[in-house]
Amino acid sequence: MRRVTGWMMRHPENLADGERRQFAAVLAHCPELKALHEHVRGFAEILQTRSGQRLENWITAARTEDPPRLHAFATGLEKDWDAVLQGLSTCWNSGPVEGRVNHIKMIKRQMFGRAKLPLLRKRVLVTAAANR
């Protein structure tokens, strides 16, 4: 199952010929999985092309099918609709900020509670200067 999930999550061009043939055989034997794959590819295309305006149509199409996990995913998207739409429509993202936060958390874990804020601050500033 993990192998099929991996094939489904990768772009079709990135599959080897043997993988592509095996995946096609699996999809031919399971119409539900084929429908799910089409929805996954549709969402991936929305992500890649930053075409958030197509998201509402994608959610409607996903709800007409019967994969329950997609229903839950669609509901999660709708809960924070404005943020999701902005994230899928603009080129702005919080990646650099999230990367810095992750880095600070890693430094804090390395220190394992042995030092207080002044040392943490110094280590963060030193590593930030070194990464420029």
XYZ file of all heavy atoms in Angstrom, residues 4 8 22-38:
146
model
N 2.023 2.098 -3.510
C 0.964 2.718 -4.327
C 0.760 4.170 -3.910
O 0.614 5.050 -4.754
C -0.355 1.919 -4.215
C -1.486 2.622 -4.939
C -0.170 0.512 -4.777
N 1.204 7.491 -6.189
C 0.122 8.449 -6.333
C 0.581 9.863 -5.998
O 0.152 10.833 -6.624
C -1.042 8.052 -5.427
C -2.281 8.887 -5.656
S -3.689 8.349 -4.683
C -4.031 6.760 -5.401
N 3.147 -0.714 -13.360
C 2.534 -1.324 -12.182
C 1.396 -0.451 -11.644
O 0.335 -0.955 -11.276
C 3.576 -1.533 -11.084
C 4.545 -2.648 -11.359
C 5.600 -2.728 -10.265
O 6.109 -1.722 -9.795
N 5.912 -3.956 -9.860
N 1.624 0.838 -11.607
C 0.607 1.758 -11.096
C -0.632 1.748 -11.997
O -1.762 1.725 -11.511
C 1.190 3.164 -10.978
C 0.300 4.144 -10.271
C -0.389 3.783 -9.123
C 0.173 5.431 -10.731
C -1.198 4.689 -8.450
C -0.640 6.345 -10.079
C -1.324 5.968 -8.938
N -0.410 1.727 -13.294
C -1.538 1.663 -14.237
C -2.337 0.371 -14.033
O -3.577 0.389 -14.098
C -1.040 1.768 -15.672
N -1.645 -0.723 -13.776
C -2.340 -1.998 -13.538
C -3.164 -1.940 -12.262
O -4.302 -2.425 -12.219
C -1.323 -3.139 -13.468
N -2.612 -1.334 -11.218
C -3.349 -1.205 -9.957
C -4.590 -0.344 -10.165
O -5.689 -0.684 -9.713
C -2.444 -0.615 -8.852
C -3.253 -0.218 -7.632
C -1.361 -1.601 -8.468
N -4.420 0.783 -10.857
C -5.557 1.681 -11.096
C -6.627 1.018 -11.959
O -7.817 1.269 -11.779
C -5.085 2.983 -11.747
C -4.218 3.898 -10.879
C -3.809 5.134 -11.661
C -4.924 4.271 -9.593
N -6.206 0.164 -12.891
C -7.168 -0.524 -13.751
C -8.027 -1.508 -12.953
O -9.179 -1.747 -13.317
C -6.436 -1.258 -14.868
N -7.495 -2.044 -11.878
C -8.229 -3.025 -11.077
C -9.073 -2.389 -9.970
O -9.879 -3.080 -9.354
C -7.261 -4.030 -10.450
C -6.747 -5.024 -11.430
N -5.610 -4.801 -12.171
C -7.226 -6.227 -11.810
C -5.400 -5.830 -12.962
N -6.376 -6.719 -12.764
N -8.886 -1.107 -9.718
C -9.614 -0.473 -8.606
C -10.143 0.892 -9.041
O -9.412 1.889 -9.011
C -8.696 -0.334 -7.402
S -9.537 0.319 -5.959
N -11.404 0.970 -9.465
C -11.956 2.245 -9.925
C -11.981 3.324 -8.839
O -11.811 4.506 -9.138
C -13.375 1.905 -10.370
C -13.555 0.449 -10.205
C -12.338 -0.118 -9.578
N -12.169 2.935 -7.573
C -12.176 3.920 -6.486
C -10.807 4.569 -6.336
O -10.694 5.773 -6.132
C -12.581 3.269 -5.153
C -14.004 2.785 -5.114
C -14.149 1.356 -5.647
O -13.111 0.696 -5.900
O -15.289 0.906 -5.813
N -9.769 3.756 -6.457
C -8.407 4.281 -6.362
C -8.094 5.182 -7.558
O -7.424 6.207 -7.409
C -7.405 3.127 -6.280
C -5.990 3.489 -5.867
C -5.973 4.135 -4.489
C -5.119 2.254 -5.864
N -8.609 4.821 -8.721
C -8.403 5.657 -9.907
C -9.071 7.019 -9.723
O -8.483 8.056 -10.048
C -8.958 4.961 -11.151
C -8.679 5.725 -12.413
C -9.112 4.968 -13.643
C -8.730 5.782 -14.872
N -9.062 5.111 -16.092
N -10.278 7.037 -9.171
C -10.972 8.304 -8.912
C -10.203 9.138 -7.887
O -10.041 10.356 -8.056
C -12.394 8.032 -8.428
N -9.707 8.483 -6.837
C -8.917 9.182 -5.839
C -7.660 9.772 -6.463
O -7.297 10.918 -6.191
C -8.550 8.234 -4.695
C -7.691 8.830 -3.590
C -8.440 9.934 -2.865
C -7.256 7.749 -2.615
N -7.003 9.005 -7.325
C -5.796 9.486 -7.992
C -6.081 10.728 -8.835
O -5.291 11.673 -8.850
C -5.199 8.378 -8.862
C -4.017 8.812 -9.662
N -2.843 9.238 -9.075
C -3.817 8.919 -10.999
C -1.977 9.566 -10.018
N -2.555 9.386 -11.179
N -7.205 10.742 -9.518
C -7.566 11.911 -10.325
C -7.754 13.146 -9.445
O -7.331 14.243 -9.805
C -8.826 11.618 -11.138
C -8.582 10.620 -12.253
C -9.859 10.133 -12.918
O -10.951 10.653 -12.584
O -9.764 9.237 -13.776
